[in-house]
Amino acid sequence: LLYKLVFAGVRSQDQVSQTPPSLTVSEGEIATLHCNYTASNLYNLQWYRQRPNRSPENVMILFSDPVKDSQFSGSLDKVKSSGVFNVSNSQAEDSVTYYCAVEAQCLKAVRGPDRNTEWS
């Protein structure tokens, strides 16, 4: 089974990196994926999966506390700017692409001269 990490949903000044870039695991094994980021005012870290020919679906949102269900578990370390995501009980049909995304809070709203709100 091949698990891939792809990163999306970050602002231009924020960065994410992946380890490993792809991972092959046998059926029933646990796949562990890492996401490292630089994001000012991080709000949450999200994990998505995308099956072939399907739209991405959100499988986990991490704020501060670890999350665990029957198939996925994850944790977020804001001090180290990293997250860990585990997929357990892998099945053949789980050969999908996983996406890590960071969501950062806007620092402040600034009223522009044309009366449109600009976020910075």
Side-chain angles (χ1 to χ4, degrees), residues 93-108:
E93 62 270 17
D94 291 333
S95 185
V96 297
T97 300
Y98 285 92
Y99 297 84
C100 173
V102 295
E103 182 179 354
Q105 292 177 314
C106 294
L107 297 177
K108 60 183 177 179

Side-chain angles (χ1 to χ4, degrees), residues 22-41:
S22 65
L23 177 64
T24 302
V25 297
S26 299
E27 198 164 331
E29 287 186 343
I30 296 173
T32 300
L33 311 173
H34 299 268
C35 178
N36 298 299
Y37 62 86
T38 58
S40 55
N41 298 315

